[in-house]
Amino acid sequence: MNYVDNETFVAALKEYQELNSDKGKWLESYKDKLLVKFKNGKIKQEKLDAGLEFYEFKKQFFKDKLVRMSKPKTALEQKVHDHKISLLKESLGKTFLLIAAGRMKTPQFVRYPAMVREEMISDATYIMLRYADRFDCRRPNPFSYFTQAAFNAFRAYLNAKKKYSEKYQSINFIENLDTILTNNNNGLD
């Protein structure tokens, strides 16, 4: 498989959202952040309305899902359920890996060393799988949503690396300050 089939992708996402153990604890935080962004003028009314509509849809979805999940399962049903989840995670993981690897081929990322690119792809794949529940399956194109998620994961990785690098350089400078001062004093004598 060298491309992402949209229909298969949407079907796998829907099934994964139905079967996984996510109970929607993130929803209230999502709504609060949405309202704060609107209050601060970072998003417009249309975006707020769409976000609140998504919130209500997901709230009902998780309410229905909890009712379905509360029914006891036999050991065989649980085993089949766990096997389906495992297969879905593998399938989605491969799809997310393809998306991240494809996004990595853009000119802004190809200049990084292979090891760094592999770490970025790995991080992006993890983030996409972690947030697969937050995709609105009523939308027709999950590819664009997850491509943007991969891009955001790449940026977050690079920002974290830059922050770490700056801290390391300042610590390295402080640790070597004695050597620098000694060398400068020797030159003045």
Side-chain angles (χ1 to χ4, degrees):
M1 181 167 130
N2 292 328
Y3 66 98
V4 177
D5 178 33
N6 204 43
E7 290 178 21
T8 307
F9 191 24
V10 171
L13 279 168
K14 284 181 181 179
E15 189 173 4
Y16 179 73
Q17 288 181 359
E18 281 289 328
L19 295 176
N20 73 4
S21 60
D22 182 23
K23 294 179 179 77
K25 292 180 182 178
W26 53 269
L27 266 177
E28 291 305 317
S29 171
Y30 170 81
K31 181 181 176 185
D32 293 343
K33 288 177 184 177
L34 197 63
L35 293 172
V36 167
K37 285 181 180 180
F38 179 72
K39 184 179 175 183
N40 293 338
K42 292 185 177 180
I43 61 172
K44 295 183 180 181
Q45 184 68 44
E46 303 85 40
K47 181 88 171 181
L48 175 68
D49 293 342
L52 291 175
E53 192 268 329
F54 172 72
Y55 166 79
E56 291 299 327
F57 169 75
K58 280 294 193 179
K59 188 175 178 181
Q60 185 61 43
F61 172 81
F62 286 119
K63 189 176 178 183
D64 296 343
K65 184 178 175 180
L66 285 174
V67 169
R68 288 189 304 274
M69 288 174 62
S70 66
K71 295 177 184 173
K73 294 180 182 173
T74 65
L76 180 62
E77 288 173 333
Q78 186 63 42
K79 192 173 183 176
V80 168
H81 176 269
D82 293 346
H83 183 67
K84 277 185 179 178
I85 285 287
S86 177
L87 292 175
L88 282 168
K89 282 184 177 180
E90 184 178 337
S91 171
L92 287 173
K94 287 178 181 177
T95 302
F96 293 149
L97 193 59
L98 283 172
I99 290 171
R103 187 66 172 109
M104 183 57 68
K105 291 178 183 174
T106 59
Q108 64 198 104
F109 298 119
V110 291
R111 63 185 168 90
Y112 292 101
M115 191 173 105
V116 172
R117 288 195 317 260
E118 287 174 13
E119 286 180 23
M120 291 168 67
I121 288 171
S122 177
D123 281 1
T125 303
Y126 169 75
I127 294 293
M128 287 186 277
L129 192 55
R130 184 172 171 209
Y131 290 101
D133 285 323
R134 298 184 187 195
F135 175 70
D136 187 354
C137 282
R138 299 172 299 167
R139 295 181 181 250
N141 190 4
F143 182 78
S144 62
Y145 176 86
F146 288 105
T147 301
Q148 186 62 44
F151 177 76
N152 292 345
F154 294 163
R155 282 195 341 211
Y157 177 88
L158 293 173
N159 288 340
K161 271 286 208 208
K162 182 179 178 186
K163 188 176 180 180
Y164 174 79
S165 176
E166 288 171 354
K167 282 183 183 178
Y168 180 74
Q169 286 175 349
S170 62
I171 290 171
N172 193 21
F173 177 76
I174 291 169
E175 287 178 351
N176 292 322
L177 197 55
D178 289 337
T179 308
I180 294 170
L181 292 174
T182 305
N183 288 343
N184 284 342
N185 287 341
N186 290 340
L188 295 175
D189 290 339

